[in-house]
């Protein structure tokens, strides 16, 4: 079962459904459902994603987030035109614009995001703007404890926002009523954290207005009447501002909100002393073993600690719609607020000192307590110590209580997990995790009850009722995942395993249970009844991965017998359809199959995503949206899912995109851009499985490689680039060898098809894809004419305590760290490479100095290279000026070193073979791997490689 989906059930029982047709929507928020937004999701703003996705995650975004002159190029594919107008002596010092055909797509106005009311009778259209200007990113920010804070607004920095809200009535026939626009807030207001009340009668949201006066820029909480569209400030006092560093506000009931506010008596921020009190010191005289990855933006000294406290400290306030205000508890650094389903209690988390200079705030000491909704402290659940020593091995966790949540099927029952291995995944113990449950106010002397014991790592629970809940566990090293069926209210009913499978095996994924909304606004597994049938059925919603691509489905599943009936499936020929949410659960009582209503999406290669309501028993479909094509100039682009094999027989796949109107028999081969992202697997079979669908609408983000379809390029999107380590073998020990083999197979396929000119194939990637790009140019120069590497890490010795999916340290796998690093092969990189990096990169492992040092190493060996550092940008790029300049740089590079390339690929191939005969790096890696594993070179030549394309992982764990 999909890990991301099932992990949400333990925390997202109060989510809000938000859908968007935009290609810029971050996929990580699929877990948001219809209702309240869980605390940890309310705190984050939208992040722009730069990669293409084959998943349906792009339809859901967090509800709370969200004309220039020509530069001299004429937009022609001809390199002679582009190069002739290029001023080679004036390539520095100012931002540039890409050709009009690219610029027009990026500047197109974004479509609105959607949010359904809890009762499913209304839809919000949340209006958005295009790319922000660079001046917004240039605002001062504090980098504290792993966070970036806008002190002027007292929020996380660089939050996106909505510019307006429109409300439409949704009628039973699928038609939308006339728009009611929310009115009453000031012009230029920026809206965030939009949240429905449980009865659907009110909206709460924050407003900020940029102004020179710092107090005017802080966020205020507003409410709006859904029927009239009239909005007003929630607080009568103009001096109460929202503190949105962590959580922000939550509906306690239909007339009351709990709000995180800036303490009224806070004063001015602490001033940094001109002279420090003493040196910065850290000590390990107790010889503790503490291994941490390369976290960024950490606290550095006592002044930073004081500054973090200043911005993060919150005063909790209960406020009613009538203006009544009551403070709750003392000021503290509160991180999450979660009301119980019966609205009697609030689960409140906070962090406190002692802080750390080596880990971010998520590992600071954490206190969790239960309060009543009228502000009375009930009890403390835990006070966890500072967690600097969590092992770097995957599946390692913090000691003590974790994943503390309310049961979504009970009024006020808590549940949580506790590790039995000290949090260390390398410790062998059974059970490994125990799940406990307890009432918010237990009877005196009554301790927690054991709900279930697990031998793998706990991964969440989907609740239904006392007779049914699904418990998930998994183990990364073996990719094993299991789903248990338990009866929470019947101790005499033994738990049983429902599914036991490999998380890599997408073909066997049975799907995830669809959830229904309860009267308290939580979400539980939807039980379905059939007429004259006493069976217990649930709905399993799956991606339906097949060798021909994803064919999403909806199964009626008998939880007792395991039998299933497919009641809905996506069109296989032209369209790609998915189930989004259950729409027939507004009332209490049984849900019958013949009364089922499901919200679905539908799209094709050429048609933008639209939303429909499917009704049973006749499966009538009502379309409820009619979004225009976001880039009509590419409406007739060609898209094909292609499959091919590596030389060792491992099945690979990619999506081939061709420009509108292109005919290979008439137009001949094109320049081609290969864009990918490596992934690790434990199984060759799973590595070869097809992911994604050929019928998905091609979404083009602001830095998408598909923009170059408008410039006449063929695009090979997401060619699978798997790195396999079967059994006890670690995948990265043969990283370069497998990487090159995958690239060879992909290049041979597009050349064989006649769509790509063999001497005009460029390679590129973002983050780990940039790492891939540099390695391929160093170790497979015969395949590519040039490369584009954005925000990468090139020297793995600078991330000595693990990176990406590698959890061995530099000292445990020295040769792997060295041989994987393209920095160590800078003397062998002979093809032109464009390096781009954000100056304020906040991603773990991809510090900006990675590109600085790699560029200097390349320059020191005379390589043809260029480094572009983007001021104020982090791991993903946000400002219009930055994005347009990156597109200009990329287009210039491709025109000059790909389109204009006249080198004979056969010469590159001969040089490559000569290098191999002298002991080229990828053959040296084979020898190292063989000697380390006790085999021969021939043995390792036939170990496969594969890749599962990652879904929009712009923000990777590196």
């Amino acid at each position: 079962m999909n890990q991301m989906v099932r992990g949400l059930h333990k925390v997202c029982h109060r989510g809000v459904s938000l859908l968007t047709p935009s290609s810029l929507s971050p996929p990580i928020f699929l877990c948001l459902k219809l209702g309240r937004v869980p605390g940890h999701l309310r705190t984050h703003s939208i992040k722009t994603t730069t990669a293409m996705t084959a998943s349906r995650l792009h339809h859901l975004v967090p509800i709370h987030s969200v004309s220039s002159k020509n530069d001299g190029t004429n937009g022609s594919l001809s390199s002679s035109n582009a190069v002739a107008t290029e001023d080679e002596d004036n390539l520095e010092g100012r931002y540039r614009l890409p050709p009009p055909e690219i610029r027009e797509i990026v500047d197109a106005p974004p479509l609105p995001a959607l949010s359904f009311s809890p009762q499913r009778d209304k839809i919000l259209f949340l209006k958005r703007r295009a790319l922000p200007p660079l001046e917004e990113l240039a605002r001062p920010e504090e980098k504290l404890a792993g966070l970036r804070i806008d002190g002027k607004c007292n929020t996380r920095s660089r939050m996106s926002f909505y510019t307006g809200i429109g409300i439409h009535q949704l009628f039973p026939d699928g038609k939308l009523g006339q728009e009611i626009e929310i009115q009453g807030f000031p012009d230029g207001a920026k809206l965030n954290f939009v949240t429905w009340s449980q009865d659907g009668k009110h909206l709460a949201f924050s407003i900020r207005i940029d102004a020179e006066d710092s107090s005017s820029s802080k966020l205020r909480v507003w409410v709006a009447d859904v029927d009239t569209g009239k909005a007003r400030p929630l607080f009568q006092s103009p001096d109460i501002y929202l503190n949105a560093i962590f959580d922000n506000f939550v509906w306690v009931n239909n007339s009351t909100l709990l709000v995180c506010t800036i303490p009224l008596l806070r004063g001015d921020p602490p001033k940094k002393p001109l002279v420090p009190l003493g040196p910065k010191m850290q000590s390990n005289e107790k010889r503790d073993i503490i291994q941490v990855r390369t976290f960024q933006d950490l606290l550095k000294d006592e002044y930073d600690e004081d500054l973090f406290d200043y911005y993060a400290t919150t005063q909790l306030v209960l406020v009613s719609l009538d203006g009544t205000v009551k403070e709750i508890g003392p000021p503290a650094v509160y991180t999450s607020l979660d009301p119980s389903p019966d609205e009697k209690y609030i689960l409140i988390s906070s962090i406190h000192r002692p802080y750390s200079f080596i880990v971010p705030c998520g590992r600071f000491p954490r206190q969790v307590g239960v309060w009543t909704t009228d502000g009375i402290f009930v009890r403390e659940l835990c006070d966890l110590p500072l967690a600097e020593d969590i092992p770097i091995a995957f599946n390692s966790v913090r000691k003590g209580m974790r994943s503390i949540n309310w049961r979504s099927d009970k009024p006020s029952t808590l549940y949580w997990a506790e590790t039995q291995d000290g949090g260390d995944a390398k410790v062998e113990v059974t059970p490994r995790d125990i799940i406990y449950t307890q009432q918010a106010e237990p009877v005196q002397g009554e301790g927690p009850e054991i709900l279930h014991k697990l031998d793998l790592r706990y991964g969440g629970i989907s609740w239904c009722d006392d007779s049914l809940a699904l418990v998930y566990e998994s183990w990364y090293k073996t990719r094993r995942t299991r789903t248990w069926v338990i009866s929470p209210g019947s101790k005499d009913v033994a738990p049983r395993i429902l599914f036991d499978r490999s998380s890599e095996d997408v073909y066997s994924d049975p799907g995830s249970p669809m959830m229904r909304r309860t009267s308290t606004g939580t979400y539980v597994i939807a039980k379905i009844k059939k007429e004259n049938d006493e069976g217990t059925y649930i709905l399993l919603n799956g991606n339906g991965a097949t060798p021909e691509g994803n064919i999403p489905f909806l199964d009626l599943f008998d939880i007792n017998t395991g039998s299933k009936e497919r009641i809905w499936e996506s069109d296989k020929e032209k369209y790609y359809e998915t189930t989004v949410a259950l729409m027939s659960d507004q009332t209490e009582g049984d849900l019958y199959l013949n009364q089922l209503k499901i919200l679905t999406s539908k799209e094709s290669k050429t048609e933008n995503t639209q939303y429909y309501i499917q009704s049973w028993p006749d499966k009538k479909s009502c379309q409820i949206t009619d979004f225009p094509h976001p880039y009509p100039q590419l409406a007739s682009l060609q898209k094909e899912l292609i499959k091919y094999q590596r030389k060792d027989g491992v099945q690979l796949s990619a999506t081939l995109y061709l420009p509108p109107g292109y005919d290979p028999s008439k137009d001949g081969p094109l320049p081609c851009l290969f864009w990918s992202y490596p992934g690790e697997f434990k199984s060759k079979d799973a590595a070869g499985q097809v992911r994604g669908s050929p019928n998905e609408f091609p979404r083009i983000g602001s830095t998408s490689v598909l923009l170059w379809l408008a410039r006449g390029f063929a695009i090979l999107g997401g060619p699978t680039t798997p790195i396999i380590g079967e059994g006890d073998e670690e995948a990265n020990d043969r990283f370069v060898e497998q990487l090159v083999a995958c690239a060879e197979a992909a290049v041979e396929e597009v050349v064989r098809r006649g769509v790509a000119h063999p001497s005009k194939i460029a390679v590129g990637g973002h983050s780990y894809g940039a790492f891939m790009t540099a390695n391929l140019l160093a170790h497979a120069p015969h395949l590519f004419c040039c490369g584009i590497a954005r925000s990468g890490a090139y020297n793995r010795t600078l991330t000595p305590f693990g990176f990406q999916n590698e959890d061995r340290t530099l000292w445990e796998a020295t040769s792997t760290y060295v041989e994987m690093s393209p920095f160590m092969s800078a003397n062998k990189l002979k093809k032109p490479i464009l390096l781009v990096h954000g100056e304020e990169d906040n991603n773990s492992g991809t510090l900006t100095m990675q590109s600085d040092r790699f560029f200097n190493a390349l320059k020191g060996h005379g390589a043809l290279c260029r480094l572009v550092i983007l001021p104020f940008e982090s791991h993903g790029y946000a400002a219009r000026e930055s994005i347009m300049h990156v597109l200009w740089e990329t287009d210039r590079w491709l025109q000059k070193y790909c389109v204009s390339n006249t080198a004979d690929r056969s010469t590159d191939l001969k040089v490559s073979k000569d290098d191999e005969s002298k002991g080229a790096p990828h053959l040296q890696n084979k020898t190292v791997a063989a000697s380390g594993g006790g085999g021969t070179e021939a043995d390792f030549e036939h170990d496969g490689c594969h890749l599962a394309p990652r879904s929009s992982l712009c923000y990777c764990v590196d």
Side-chain angles (χ1 to χ4, degrees):
M1 186 171 296
N2 183 282
Q3 293 285 333
M4 185 180 298
V5 172
R6 67 172 192 242
L8 70 90
H9 295 138
K10 61 177 179 176
V11 295
C12 293
H13 63 281
R14 293 179 177 272
V16 177
S17 176
L18 186 67
L19 306 102
T20 172
S22 169
S23 60
L24 300 182
S25 304
I28 192 155
F29 292 97
L30 172 64
C31 61
L32 294 183
K33 298 291 183 179
L34 302 164
R36 292 179 183 163
V37 183
H40 76 286
L41 293 182
R42 288 193 301 272
T43 61
H44 301 294
S45 58
I46 284 184
K47 297 180 179 179
T48 303
T49 180
T50 62
M52 294 175 294
T53 174
S55 77
R56 308 312 308 139
L57 304 183
H58 59 265
H59 290 310
L60 301 167
V61 298
I63 190 167
H64 52 276
S65 352
V66 210
S67 116
S68 303
K69 63 181 181 180
N70 197 309
D71 66 326
T73 59
N74 60 9
S76 169
L77 179 62
S78 168
S79 62
S80 59
N81 290 336
V83 174
T85 59
E86 188 64 71
D87 183 358
E88 293 292 346
D89 295 326
N90 186 28
L91 295 180
E92 315 295 339
R94 65 187 178 94
Y95 288 98
R96 308 294 289 266
L97 293 170
E101 55 265 49
I102 289 180
R103 189 167 71 242
E104 290 168 2
I105 296 174
V106 176
D107 273 342
L111 297 174
L114 306 182
S115 172
F116 287 81
S117 67
Q119 288 72 32
R120 320 292 198 277
D121 60 346
K122 294 181 177 65
I123 306 178
L124 298 185
F125 278 60
L126 297 144
K127 301 168 186 180
R128 304 181 290 173
R129 62 168 183 176
L131 297 173
L134 186 64
E135 64 182 4
E136 289 192 9
L137 272 66
R139 293 175 57 157
E141 60 182 1
E142 303 291 347
K143 300 175 182 179
L144 302 167
L147 308 179
R148 294 189 174 181
I149 296 172
D150 183 337
K152 194 173 182 180
C153 298
N154 218 99
T155 67
R156 302 286 182 95
S157 61
R158 309 184 183 200
M159 288 198 311
S160 61
F161 57 86
Y162 299 113
T163 58
I165 304 174
I167 306 173
H168 290 267
Q169 185 77 28
L170 176 62
F171 295 107
D173 61 359
K175 294 182 180 179
L176 298 182
Q178 187 175 2
E179 181 179 85
I180 298 174
E181 188 170 357
I182 299 294
Q183 296 179 338
F185 47 77
D187 292 338
K190 299 177 178 180
L191 282 60
N192 290 87
F193 312 120
V194 184
T195 309
W196 292 92
S197 63
Q198 285 303 298
D199 59 8
K201 295 181 178 180
H202 290 89
L203 296 174
F205 50 92
S206 70
I207 281 182
R208 72 182 192 272
I209 301 172
D210 290 336
E212 293 299 324
D213 177 12
S214 61
S215 64
S216 299
S217 298
K218 292 184 172 62
L219 277 66
R220 288 184 168 91
V221 183
W222 282 55
V223 291
D225 185 289
V226 171
D227 291 331
T228 65
K230 293 182 179 179
R232 61 177 177 82
L234 174 63
F235 292 98
Q236 296 178 359
S237 170
D239 299 323
I240 301 179
Y241 299 102
L242 184 67
N243 186 334
I245 300 299
F246 288 105
D247 215 332
N248 39 77
F249 54 81
V250 62
W251 289 92
V252 174
N253 54 48
N254 291 323
S255 62
T256 307
L257 293 100
L258 181 61
V259 183
C260 296
T261 69
I262 297 173
L264 290 173
L265 302 178
R266 184 175 70 172
D268 295 328
K271 293 184 179 180
K272 188 170 185 176
L274 295 177
V275 178
L277 297 177
K280 299 177 182 178
M281 295 174 285
Q282 296 186 53
S283 176
N284 192 33
E285 295 182 45
K286 295 182 179 179
R287 298 189 177 186
D288 295 325
I289 298 176
I290 298 176
Q291 301 177 350
V292 295
R293 293 202 175 194
T294 48
F295 298 117
Q296 298 199 49
D297 303 333
L298 301 177
L299 299 176
K300 299 179 292 297
D301 50 33
E302 291 182 5
Y303 168 72
D304 275 0
E305 291 181 307
D306 292 341
L307 202 60
F308 175 74
D309 276 337
Y310 176 82
Y311 287 115
T313 297
T314 288
Q315 175 63 63
L316 298 181
V317 173
L318 275 173
V319 55
S320 300
L321 294 181
D322 63 7
T324 304
V325 174
K326 178 182 180 181
E327 291 187 351
I328 300 296
V333 183
Y334 297 107
T335 57
S336 67
L337 317 171
D338 192 9
S340 61
D342 63 3
E343 301 175 348
K344 292 182 178 180
Y345 302 96
I346 306 172
L347 190 64
I348 298 179
S349 298
S350 62
I351 56 178
H352 61 82
R353 298 195 184 211
Y355 297 151
S356 171
F357 298 152
I358 64 173
V359 294
C361 58
R363 297 193 184 185
F364 287 178
R366 180 175 181 238
Q367 189 175 44
V368 183
V370 177
W371 294 66
T372 64
T373 50
D374 56 1
I376 299 174
F377 177 75
V378 177
R379 66 184 178 116
E380 180 183 286
L381 294 177
C382 64
D383 192 351
L384 304 176
L386 178 65
E388 291 182 331
D389 59 347
I390 299 177
I392 62 173
F394 289 104
N395 286 123
S396 293
V397 295
R398 190 173 193 157
K399 300 174 185 176
M401 297 173 68
R402 71 181 197 279
S403 302
I404 308 171
N405 288 285
W406 298 108
R407 274 185 62 168
S408 53
D409 63 328
K410 290 290 184 180
S412 53
T413 300
L414 294 160
Y415 70 100
W416 64 90
E418 291 189 36
T419 178
Q420 306 301 299
D421 56 15
D424 189 348
K426 292 184 178 180
V427 173
E428 296 294 333
V429 65
T430 183
R432 189 172 293 277
D433 272 341
I434 296 179
I435 307 167
Y436 295 94
T437 183
Q438 190 177 42
Q439 294 296 316
E441 289 192 81
V443 177
Q444 187 172 5
E446 183 180 74
E449 293 185 7
I450 294 177
L451 180 70
H452 192 51
K453 297 180 180 181
L454 300 169
D455 286 333
L456 307 182
R457 189 63 79 202
Y458 168 70
I461 301 178
S462 294
W463 297 97
C464 183
D465 52 32
D466 274 340
S467 67
L468 174 64
L470 300 181
V471 181
Y472 309 105
E473 63 174 341
S474 63
W475 197 247
Y476 176 77
K477 278 292 186 182
T478 60
R479 307 302 198 273
R480 188 179 185 185
T481 179
R482 294 196 296 198
T483 302
W484 290 84
V485 178
I486 65 171
S487 297
S490 304
K491 295 182 180 180
D492 56 338
V493 178
R496 59 185 174 88
I497 293 177
L498 185 64
F499 304 120
D500 190 347
R501 48 183 292 274
S502 169
S503 60
E504 291 182 338
D505 182 10
V506 294
Y507 290 172
S508 70
D509 190 345
S512 303
M514 293 203 75
M515 313 298 282
R516 67 168 296 176
R517 184 177 180 272
T518 69
S519 59
T520 61
T522 64
Y523 280 80
V524 298
I525 297 173
K527 279 186 176 181
I528 305 297
K529 283 188 171 292
K530 296 171 68 175
E531 295 291 345
N532 303 317
D533 189 330
E534 296 300 322
T536 302
Y537 298 95
I538 65 173
L539 297 172
L540 291 180
N541 172 23
N543 289 327
T546 73
E548 288 70 46
N550 288 355
I551 305 174
F553 64 84
L554 190 63
D555 281 348
L556 189 66
F557 183 79
D558 190 319
I559 199 72
N560 296 318
T561 66
S563 64
K564 62 179 69 175
E565 173 189 353
R566 187 139 300 178
I567 62 173
W568 178 89
E569 189 174 67
S570 172
D571 181 283
K572 301 179 183 179
E573 302 302 324
K574 180 180 179 181
Y575 291 101
Y576 180 72
E577 303 168 281
T578 66
T579 59
V580 179
L582 190 62
M583 299 291 284
S584 54
D585 59 350
Q586 299 95 324
T587 59
E588 290 292 298
D590 295 331
L591 297 179
Y592 283 89
L593 180 61
N594 60 7
Q595 299 173 354
L596 199 61
K597 285 187 179 181
I598 301 289
L599 178 69
T600 64
S601 67
K602 184 177 183 179
E603 62 194 77
S604 72
K605 298 176 185 178
T606 58
E607 298 172 69
N608 191 19
T609 303
Q610 308 295 348
Y611 295 93
Y612 296 75
I613 293 179
Q614 302 275 351
S615 300
W616 272 254
D618 56 2
K619 298 184 183 178
K620 180 182 177 182
S621 180
C622 295
Q623 183 173 343
I624 61 175
T625 62
D626 188 18
F627 295 118
H629 198 293
Y631 19 89
Q633 55 271 65
L634 292 179
S636 58
L637 64 81
Q638 303 173 53
K639 176 184 177 183
E640 181 183 0
L641 178 67
I642 64 174
K643 293 185 284 188
Y644 48 96
Q645 285 189 341
R646 252 190 53 178
K647 60 186 177 182
D648 60 3
V650 173
Q651 182 76 41
L652 303 176
S653 62
T655 303
L656 177 63
Y657 299 88
L658 298 171
Y662 169 72
D663 185 340
S665 62
K666 295 180 181 179
D667 302 324
L670 299 172
C672 179
L673 180 53
F674 172 115
W675 198 271
S676 189
Y677 192 104
E680 296 80 12
F681 286 81
K682 293 298 294 181
S683 161
K684 292 180 183 178
D685 291 338
Q689 293 181 351
V690 175
R691 292 157 172 84
S693 168
N695 295 326
E696 287 183 273
F697 182 73
R699 288 164 182 82
I700 303 179
S702 59
T703 55
S704 169
V705 292
L706 295 188
L707 290 166
W708 275 270
L709 290 168
R711 297 284 280 161
F713 273 73
I715 307 296
L716 195 65
T720 52
T721 312
I723 311 300
I724 303 171
E726 293 189 303
D728 294 333
E729 182 188 25
E730 296 291 343
N732 285 337
D733 290 339
R734 296 192 301 114
F735 178 87
V736 172
E737 173 192 345
Q738 297 193 57
L739 186 70
V740 171
C742 291
E744 286 176 337
V747 168
E748 288 171 4
E749 178 64 17
V750 291
V751 171
R752 182 192 68 78
R753 288 172 171 261
V755 298
H757 193 292
S759 298
K760 299 182 179 183
I761 302 177
V763 60
H766 186 97
S767 197
Y768 209 50
F771 176 77
M772 171 206 74
T773 297
N775 265 307
L776 286 174
L777 293 183
H779 302 303
H782 59 293
L783 297 178
F784 303 105
C785 60
C786 65
I788 298 100
R790 300 176 184 168
S791 299
Y794 308 102
N795 184 353
R796 298 280 48 143
T797 68
L798 296 177
T799 54
F801 288 105
F803 58 89
Q804 202 68 12
N805 290 321
E806 176 61 67
D807 62 1
R808 294 173 296 175
T809 70
L810 169 63
W811 298 272
E812 293 171 321
T814 304
S815 61
T816 297
Y817 273 68
V818 172
E819 290 158 12
M820 283 184 70
S821 299
F823 179 87
M824 304 301 179
S825 299
N827 61 322
K828 296 179 175 62
L829 204 150
K830 307 299 182 184
K831 294 299 178 71
I833 184 170
L834 171 65
L835 303 173
V836 181
H837 217 119
E839 190 171 30
E840 304 295 332
D841 195 317
N842 60 341
N843 187 56
S844 174
T846 55
L847 295 88
T848 307
M849 74 171 180
Q850 287 271 5
S851 287
D852 284 328
R853 294 185 178 183
F854 188 43
F855 175 74
N856 288 329
L858 293 171
K859 191 167 64 170
H861 290 90
L864 199 168
C865 53
R866 180 172 171 82
L867 172 63
V868 179
I869 301 295
L870 303 171
F872 306 115
E873 296 289 354
S874 57
H875 193 57
Y877 318 139
R880 182 180 185 274
E881 293 91 331
S882 303
I883 287 173
M884 290 296 183
H885 188 81
V886 169
L887 298 177
W888 175 81
E889 292 277 3
T890 304
D891 189 71
R892 171 185 175 271
W893 205 255
L894 292 173
Q895 294 292 333
K896 189 170 185 179
Y897 299 112
C898 181
V899 176
S900 298
N901 184 42
T902 57
D904 186 351
R905 182 169 179 257
S906 61
T907 302
D908 285 337
L909 189 59
K910 181 179 183 301
V911 171
S912 177
K913 290 182 177 179
D914 289 342
D915 287 342
E916 287 183 8
S917 65
K918 298 175 183 178
H922 56 280
L923 282 184
Q924 292 173 2
N925 284 348
K926 287 183 181 179
T927 304
V928 170
S931 61
T936 64
E937 276 191 28
D939 294 330
F940 285 90
E941 283 179 358
H942 293 283
D943 278 351
C945 100
H946 87 290
L947 163 78
R950 306 219 172 187
S951 298
S952 296
L953 284 184
C954 171
Y955 292 85
C956 52
V957 178
D958 205 343

